[in-house]
Amino acid sequence: MFGIMNTLIGGESASTPEKSQGQPQKDQCDMFINVVYSGDKEKSVSQNPNHERFLKKRKFLERKGLLRSKSEPYIPPYRHRRDKAKAGKSSSTGSSTEGSHSQRPKVIFKHDTTRPQPAKVNPKVEPGVRRPVSGRPSKRSRKTKKPTIAQRAPVPGDVSDSNQRAISLLDGLNIPALAPASINPSKYAAIDCEMVGGGPQGQVSMLARCSVVSYEGDVIFDEYIKPDQLVTCYRTRWSGIRPKDLVNAMPFQEAKKRVAKLLHGKVVVGHAVHHDFQSLAYVHPPSHTRDTQKIPLLNLKGGFEVQRTVSLKILSKAILNDEIQTGKNGHSSLEDARATMKLYRAVASDWEKVLATGYNFWGVFKGLTSK
């Protein structure tokens, strides 16, 4: 690493005048040493190739003026622009005598905080009302609370045009004067099913529980059903199904045969009953199907729009004054089946009269509405 480049060692010669005169000789030694560091230059540079590339990029950006050098002082944003604007203004005022062509235009920057800004007034906000610092409404104020059943209940005496058409159609039938329809309670049954999810992200609905009740609400069938496919989402919040419920559950194929045998030849009542039939892979005759979601008498009795699809929970509260689906453990198919049968029994006599005449209410109603 270190080397002696030049070494000079010298003494006086014997032919000097001092020696010739017989004076004592003294050995003199003059030594000149030049020490030069001859280390490898490459070792002074970082051995990390990533760091070398970083340094090269930094130097390149510094040369282009895109990056501040470490030796330069820090300048806040837009300060250099304000300094340039002030310098241009002073130079323009100093050279105003030379001519108007030498004057520079006045520059005003958007972020110039030195100038007094007018107070911003929001016309939508009343004076004295506190608002968040950011200017946006807080999360609490942005959240809209879900209306309760009482808030979603219809207003008494508020009859829309569609309901007036429906009432006029039903009044034209003169339901009280129609022949009473024979209702055999043994031929009626209400059904409700609870589903779990299968497939990716639980998007495929699979049957997990099925309940069938009689006209009086007695239990005919109520079993947990084990799906054929793997369950990926139990949907406990809505279905009320938990993994332990399906451990010793009835197989799907056996449940399907038993339910089909029970419903054969009966008038099946349900709320959005086509979903229940689809989960069972079962087809029932439309003439023997009563869907409480599509009976206009129920909507009129509850004070809702005829064309509105009302949930079972809201209908039960508005017509029967019954609270269902209130627990946090999910829905119960047995409770929903009983509530569905109660709703149908409230309008069964009148609706069966209309169906006995063969009158296509929805066909005529949609024809009037489309005009």
Side-chain angles (χ1 to χ4, degrees):
M1 298 296 289
F2 292 91
I4 300 175
M5 303 299 295
N6 297 317
T7 305
L8 177 60
I9 302 174
E12 295 183 357
S13 63
S15 62
T16 57
E18 295 179 354
K19 288 183 179 182
S20 62
Q21 295 176 3
Q23 295 179 355
Q25 297 180 359
K26 297 180 180 180
D27 296 335
Q28 295 179 358
C29 178
D30 297 331
M31 180 179 293
F32 299 94
I33 300 175
N34 294 329
V35 181
V36 180
Y37 174 72
S38 61
D40 191 0
K41 295 182 178 180
E42 295 180 357
K43 293 184 179 180
S44 62
V45 184
S46 174
Q47 298 295 333
N48 191 348
N50 295 332
H51 187 63
E52 292 179 4
R53 287 195 295 269
F54 168 74
L55 294 176
K56 289 181 181 179
K57 290 180 180 179
R58 184 179 181 86
K59 291 180 180 180
F60 174 76
L61 294 175
E62 288 177 357
R63 288 197 303 268
K64 293 292 185 179
L66 301 176
L67 187 65
R68 179 179 61 87
S69 177
K70 291 184 178 181
S71 60
E72 296 179 359
Y74 173 73
I75 302 176
Y78 304 103
R79 180 178 174 181
H80 62 286
R81 297 185 182 179
R82 292 199 300 269
D83 296 342
K84 289 183 180 179
K86 291 179 181 179
K89 184 178 179 180
S90 60
S91 61
S92 63
T93 53
S95 58
S96 58
T97 55
E98 297 179 1
S100 60
H101 63 277
S102 62
Q103 295 182 359
R104 296 184 180 181
K106 187 176 181 181
V107 181
I108 299 177
F109 292 94
K110 182 179 179 181
H111 297 278
D112 191 357
T113 58
T114 59
R115 299 177 180 271
Q117 300 292 335
K120 295 182 180 180
V121 179
N122 191 350
K124 297 182 181 180
V125 181
E126 300 178 0
V129 178
R130 296 183 61 185
R131 288 185 60 86
V133 179
S134 60
R136 297 178 59 190
S138 60
K139 291 183 178 180
R140 183 176 298 179
S141 61
R142 278 184 288 173
K143 279 187 177 181
T144 56
K145 293 184 179 180
K146 188 176 180 181
T148 60
I149 296 178
Q151 294 173 345
R152 287 178 285 177
V155 180
D158 185 10
V159 182
S160 61
D161 295 338
S162 59
N163 282 18
Q164 289 179 356
R165 295 192 192 99
I167 292 172
S168 62
L169 290 177
L170 295 173
D171 289 344
L173 292 175
N174 194 7
I175 295 177
L178 294 177
S182 60
I183 298 178
N184 186 0
S186 62
K187 293 295 184 180
Y188 285 80
I191 187 174
D192 191 80
C193 299
E194 299 295 343
M195 272 76 78
V196 293
Q201 300 179 356
Q203 296 180 354
V204 181
S205 295
M206 302 182 298
L207 181 65
R209 185 182 179 184
C210 181
S211 301
V212 181
V213 298
S214 64
Y215 191 81
E216 290 79 12
D218 299 330
V219 180
I220 301 176
F221 180 86
D222 183 25
E223 294 288 342
Y224 289 103
I225 301 170
K226 190 173 185 178
D228 293 337
Q229 302 179 14
L230 179 66
V231 179
T232 57
C233 179
Y234 286 89
R235 306 176 184 176
T236 306
R237 180 180 176 184
W238 298 275
S239 66
I241 306 297
R242 291 167 176 78
K244 64 180 182 180
D245 298 331
L246 304 182
V247 174
N248 299 320
M250 182 182 296
F252 173 75
Q253 296 298 332
E254 181 182 352
K256 176 183 175 182
K257 293 179 182 179
R258 289 187 57 180
V259 173
K261 186 177 180 179
L262 290 173
L263 300 182
H264 180 70
K266 292 184 180 293
V267 178
V268 181
V269 182
H271 195 80
V273 71
H274 59 282
H275 293 303
D276 302 325
F277 290 157
Q278 185 178 4
S279 64
L280 282 164
Y282 173 76
V283 178
H284 200 71
S287 59
H288 285 63
T289 303
R290 305 290 185 265
D291 194 344
T292 54
Q293 198 178 49
K294 298 179 180 179
I295 297 179
L297 295 179
L298 285 174
N299 285 28
L300 291 174
K301 192 169 185 177
F304 302 101
E305 291 284 340
V306 177
Q307 294 175 308
R308 176 181 170 184
T309 302
V310 188
S311 67
L312 180 62
K313 181 176 181 178
I314 297 177
L315 272 179
S316 299
K317 178 62 178 177
I319 298 175
L320 306 175
N321 198 22
D322 289 346
E323 295 281 354
I324 63 172
Q325 303 175 358
T326 55
K328 296 182 179 180
N329 298 326
H331 299 178
S332 172
S333 58
L334 183 59
E335 181 186 41
D336 294 349
R338 286 172 172 168
T340 303
M341 182 57 79
K342 285 183 180 179
L343 285 173
Y344 184 72
R345 290 177 60 179
V347 295
S349 58
D350 292 342
W351 188 239
E352 290 296 335
K353 289 181 182 180
V354 175
L355 295 178
T357 61
Y359 183 73
N360 186 6
F361 172 82
W362 286 113
V364 178
F365 178 78
K366 291 179 180 178
L368 292 176
T369 307
S370 60
K371 291 181 180 180

